[in-house]
Amino acid sequence: QVQVVESGGGLVQAGDSLRLSCTASGPSFRTYTMGWFRQASGKERNFVAGIMSPDGVVNYNDSVKGRFAISRDNDKNTLYLQMNHLKPDDTAAYFCGVRFGFTNQPMNASRYGYWGQGTQVTVSS
């Protein structure tokens, strides 16, 4: 069982920055493929960014390319999402998904077996 906990959300103004964190338990953190997803009220959960195991390849949703950056610190069992130039459309609950090893569909939420409770990001105009 993997415990996943997200943090770092908040209420900010358009143009501001936030950094989200996600900690995942277990001795195999280095082998996890991890992704950030977001879900706006009444909408489906959508892929934001992901980092693959074992090669560290990153993927981004086109809507966040150039503004968001995903990274991981294996020594701290932590995944990050640096979000810059935030827009009102970025408002959503942000979730961290975790799976063991590689997937050929990193943007598909159903490929992740472990999730945190989410952290809310609200961007005012």
Side-chain angles (χ1 to χ4, degrees):
Q1 188 75 4
V2 177
Q3 304 296 322
V4 182
V5 180
E6 303 98 334
S7 62
L11 172 62
V12 297
Q13 293 186 330
D16 286 350
S17 299
L18 277 175
R19 188 177 79 159
L20 306 184
S21 298
C22 167
T23 59
S25 65
S28 304
F29 184 87
R30 294 175 186 271
T31 70
Y32 299 162
T33 287
M34 303 181 73
W36 286 102
F37 291 74
R38 65 188 180 187
Q39 188 167 14
S41 180
K43 297 188 177 181
E44 64 183 11
R45 189 169 296 188
N46 291 322
F47 176 80
V48 176
I51 188 163
M52 300 287 291
S53 174
D55 55 12
V57 170
V58 299
N59 296 281
Y60 293 98
N61 185 300
D62 286 346
S63 66
V64 307
K65 281 182 179 177
R67 299 189 298 123
F68 291 11
I70 189 171
S71 62
R72 65 193 296 168
D73 186 332
N74 290 332
D75 292 333
K76 296 182 178 179
N77 277 31
T78 302
L79 178 76
Y80 301 101
L81 185 68
Q82 178 66 44
M83 304 187 296
N84 300 323
H85 305 295
L86 283 161
K87 305 175 181 179
D89 284 348
D90 296 318
T91 294
Y94 283 69
F95 296 89
C96 176
V98 178
R99 61 164 286 120
F100 295 110
F102 175 81
T103 175
N104 60 359
Q105 297 184 34
M107 300 183 182
N108 186 339
S110 69
R111 298 300 181 180
Y112 296 80
Y114 303 95
W115 295 91
Q117 80 291 345
T119 185
Q120 179 67 34
V121 172
T122 303
V123 184
S124 64
S125 58

